[in-house]
Amino acid sequence: MSEATAYTALSSSPDNTTDTDYDILLQPKTSAHSLDILDIDSISAESLPDDEELGGALAGLPTRFQSRKLGAMSAVFLILNKMIGTGIFSTPSGVFLASGSVGISILLWILGGVLSLTGLSVFLEFGLAIPKSGGEKNYLERVYRKPKYLMTCVFLGQMILLGFSAGNSLAFGRYVLFAAGVDFPSERSSRIVAVLCITFVVLLHGLRPAMGTKLFNALGIFKVIVLVLVVVVGFVALLGWLPIEDPGNFENAFENSGFGGGTYNYATALLRIVYSYRGWENANYVLSELENPRHTLAVAAPLAIGGVMILYVLANVAYFAVIPKYEIAHSGVIVAGLFFRRVFGDSAGARMLPLFVALSNLGNVLVVAFAHARVNYEFGKEGILPFSAFFAKLNRHGAPAAGLFLHWLVTCLVLTVPPPGEAYEFIIDLNTYPSAWINALVAGGLIYLQYSKQEQWSSPFHSYLPITLAYLLSNFFLMYMPLVKIPGQEGHPGLAMAGFGMGCLFMGAVYWVVWSVVLPRLGGYKIVDEIVIDEDGNESVRYLKVEN
């Protein structure tokens, strides 16, 4: 049965058709929700004005831009740019300090990559079965259909309240100023440059979307070149071809160095590594923007994540091949700076590293803004955002300008409103905890779909149970670790981060109560969802308000 036939069948089904019947009709390319049976007369005569505006906005979407799709290589860089930020240039020091062993550090980096591949397996099965933009939103909606619309609103709370680019924008500001000769950039100056950074990115994506894509492709190539340079130089050092002293780090590589070690420290190190691998799911947010999305995702995602894993592991080998391990342990966030300084000298290392890291952060901001703006656009098309008609429009360049504006607004608020200090860094890191909950729900939901016969779930890709369970357990680990109090530390910042992060998900639930329960009762209408399939075969859902 074709999608259009399925939609026709749903529209004409008798009133006793069940939610499960709808899902069977729509498999394998299924809607986020089952379609309510509507009173056709009431829809045509009594739909509320804002729904008419939304329908007009959707009908007027410019079709001339639909051919501007991302190919496999752009999808690779979309993932790669989000994954490779500042982590690989700074995190190895903290990982080694916690593990206390060169060999165990490298094994932990391999384990972090494997855990990312388990997540990829889960997201590939979902993404190839539901090839449309939105990422986890679509997967949560497919699994958790009751209470209706709840998971949509919870995910909306996370994406709107926590989907900002403040962290990498601020890092860009700091490193740009440092590269310009400002040894100790002030917080105010860094934030001003950060606001300019996100403003430039949003304007570029909004006014010259093709150029924005080319720029993040170019920065992706640049990041790969930098990491390949680090790897090559490291292996040249291993062969003894550099005029530097051999640090001897690979002699008794698994021997403890006099610090770190133990279950808690290993868990802490792995936590940092997992955060360094974040971003592998970025292409799932924009599947509607990909050429032949099923094929492109199946090719691009494994290539990008596998490539990043290899580069991360080999870059750590390179660091240990050049820098004495005790210097690595106490280098803090400048381990890459030590690497360049030992190889190229003080002046070159000081000049090169800040520029490399700044450009790396710019690439991250570019791809996050690109992806999150399109998620905001999907929310607008569906009618779940306030002022949905505004967010459901593309501008004359084919860009989701309103979605970009919302991303810019939230990012700028986070950059300018909170006071400087630990509280500010705390806000920037808030998204990590609720993301673990969302991903655990996605993994658990996939297991349910695979083993529930009534769901009749199918996908071109199958994630095997041990792999899905590994991803589920890894997210339980990310949910648990912030709750563990660090020995000897005053206060419990991890617990506060978990509480505030979950509070954002709770705000999404509150919005669900207001949007789907309270306002409909006060306004005398009900919310229904309909499936829309455009001329290219892309499927979307619209939420309509229909008078009782």
Side-chain angles (χ1 to χ4, degrees):
M1 178 183 290
S2 70
E3 292 169 348
T5 306
Y7 178 67
T8 303
L10 290 178
S11 301
S12 59
S13 297
D15 291 343
N16 61 359
T17 304
T18 65
D19 282 354
T20 303
D21 293 330
Y22 297 149
D23 291 332
I24 293 172
L25 284 168
L26 286 170
Q27 282 294 101
K29 189 175 182 183
T30 182
S31 158
H33 293 294
S34 57
L35 181 65
D36 280 3
I37 298 302
L38 309 180
D39 182 345
I40 300 300
D41 294 333
S42 67
I43 294 176
S44 59
E46 299 175 328
S47 294
L48 300 183
D50 52 340
D51 296 324
E52 295 175 359
E53 293 173 6
L54 176 59
L58 293 171
L61 291 178
T63 58
R64 62 187 179 278
F65 299 108
Q66 291 176 355
S67 61
R68 287 186 179 178
K69 302 286 187 178
L70 301 180
M73 193 54 62
S74 291
V76 166
F77 290 125
L78 191 70
I79 300 169
L80 187 147
N81 263 305
K82 189 171 182 183
M83 291 184 71
I84 303 177
T86 58
I88 190 57
F89 300 114
S90 58
T91 304
S93 172
V95 170
F96 176 59
L97 187 61
S99 67
S101 163
V102 173
I104 291 176
S105 293
I106 294 173
L107 287 179
L108 287 173
W109 278 96
I110 295 173
L111 178 59
V114 170
L115 291 177
S116 297
L117 291 173
T118 64
L120 170 64
S121 179
V122 172
F123 274 62
L124 271 180
E125 177 157 347
F126 269 119
L128 298 185
I130 313 173
K132 61 178 184 176
S133 297
E136 297 98 320
K137 169 188 171 297
N138 301 319
Y139 317 148
L140 293 171
E141 289 174 340
R142 175 60 180 84
V143 180
Y144 306 98
R145 298 190 293 278
K146 294 180 181 180
K148 208 166 188 181
Y149 315 125
L150 174 60
M151 280 300 170
T152 306
C153 293
V154 168
F155 185 70
L156 182 144
Q158 183 202 17
M159 291 299 292
I160 299 301
L161 298 177
L162 299 176
F164 44 73
S165 300
N168 277 282
S169 296
L170 182 66
F172 174 83
R174 289 171 175 169
Y175 279 104
V176 162
L177 290 171
F178 189 73
V182 181
D183 291 336
F184 301 99
S186 69
E187 190 71 19
R188 182 172 179 270
S189 299
S190 298
R191 292 196 192 194
I192 291 173
V193 177
V195 170
L196 294 176
C197 171
I198 186 62
T199 302
F200 163 75
V201 166
V202 166
L203 289 175
L204 182 65
H205 281 318
L207 300 178
R208 294 290 184 270
M211 189 176 296
T213 301
K214 290 178 181 178
L215 182 57
F216 71 61
N217 284 348
L219 289 175
I221 295 172
F222 173 78
K223 290 181 182 185
V224 171
I225 291 174
V226 171
L227 284 179
V228 169
L229 174 64
V230 169
V231 170
V232 170
V233 170
F235 278 84
V236 169
L238 276 178
L239 295 172
W241 295 350
L242 287 180
I244 60 174
E245 183 180 352
D246 181 5
N249 291 334
F250 295 103
E251 298 174 5
N252 301 316
F254 288 90
E255 184 178 84
N256 186 272
S257 302
F259 48 79
T263 303
Y264 178 82
N265 284 324
Y266 291 155
T268 302
L270 183 60
L271 185 69
R272 292 174 178 173
I273 291 170
V274 170
Y275 288 158
S276 295
Y277 277 103
R278 284 185 304 172
W280 49 263
E281 76 289 352
N282 207 35
N284 288 69
Y285 291 131
V286 295
L287 283 180
S288 299
E289 304 291 325
L290 304 183
E291 293 179 356
N292 192 357
R294 286 191 172 98
H295 172 76
T296 300
L297 181 66
V299 171
L303 182 61
I305 299 167
V308 169
M309 176 183 172
I310 293 171
L311 287 173
Y312 275 13
V313 172
L314 294 182
N316 275 273
V317 173
Y319 291 147
F320 285 116
V322 171
I323 312 170
K325 58 185 177 181
Y326 291 102
E327 289 188 28
I328 293 177
H330 298 94
S331 64
V333 298
I334 59 170
V335 61
L338 287 177
F339 180 88
F340 282 105
R341 189 171 68 209
R342 283 182 63 85
V343 173
F344 300 109
D346 290 335
S347 59
R351 285 196 307 268
M352 291 168 64
L353 179 66
L355 180 61
F356 288 172
V357 177
L359 291 175
S360 179
N361 281 295
L362 178 60
N364 184 282
V365 176
L366 278 163
V367 296
V368 170
F370 180 89
H372 284 217
R374 277 148 183 82
V375 174
N376 295 338
Y377 170 64
E378 292 296 321
F379 280 130
K381 282 202 304 180
E382 294 182 358
I384 194 171
L385 276 176
F387 311 106
S388 287
F390 172 69
F391 290 105
K393 294 179 180 178
L394 298 176
N395 66 12
R396 62 188 181 90
H397 303 289
L404 286 165
F405 170 76
L406 181 59
H407 182 74
W408 174 86
L409 179 64
V410 175
T411 299
C412 287
L413 287 174
V414 175
L415 284 170
T416 56
V417 173
E422 293 183 1
Y424 179 70
E425 303 297 335
F426 170 85
I427 290 173
I428 288 179
D429 291 334
L430 267 181
N431 193 38
T432 56
Y433 193 76
S435 291
W437 278 84
I438 294 291
N439 291 333
L441 288 171
V442 169
L446 181 59
I447 295 173
Y448 164 74
L449 290 177
Q450 290 176 337
Y451 288 90
S452 175
K453 292 183 179 179
Q454 66 178 3
E455 294 290 344
Q456 296 195 4
W457 171 256
S458 64
S459 173
F461 181 86
H462 180 73
S463 179
Y464 290 97
L465 181 61
I467 296 174
T468 306
L469 282 175
Y471 181 58
L472 179 63
L473 292 175
S474 71
N475 281 287
F476 285 156
F477 166 73
L478 295 177
M479 291 154 56
Y480 170 73
M481 280 302 296
L483 305 180
V484 178
K485 184 174 172 58
I486 300 175
Q489 184 180 42
E490 295 183 6
H492 200 159
L495 184 62
M497 181 185 73
F500 276 96
M502 293 304 295
C504 292
L505 299 184
F506 178 74
M507 289 297 294
V510 171
Y511 180 76
W512 169 76
V513 172
V514 173
W515 177 74
S516 70
V517 179
V518 176
L519 291 181
R521 289 181 181 177
L522 294 177
Y525 62 87
K526 61 181 178 180
I527 295 176
V528 296
D529 50 295
E530 70 171 5
I531 302 166
V532 178
I533 301 175
D534 65 24
E535 60 187 20
D536 290 339
N538 297 319
E539 179 187 301
S540 62
V541 177
R542 282 195 299 177
Y543 302 103
L544 304 177
K545 300 174 184 177
V546 179
E547 287 190 1
N548 291 322

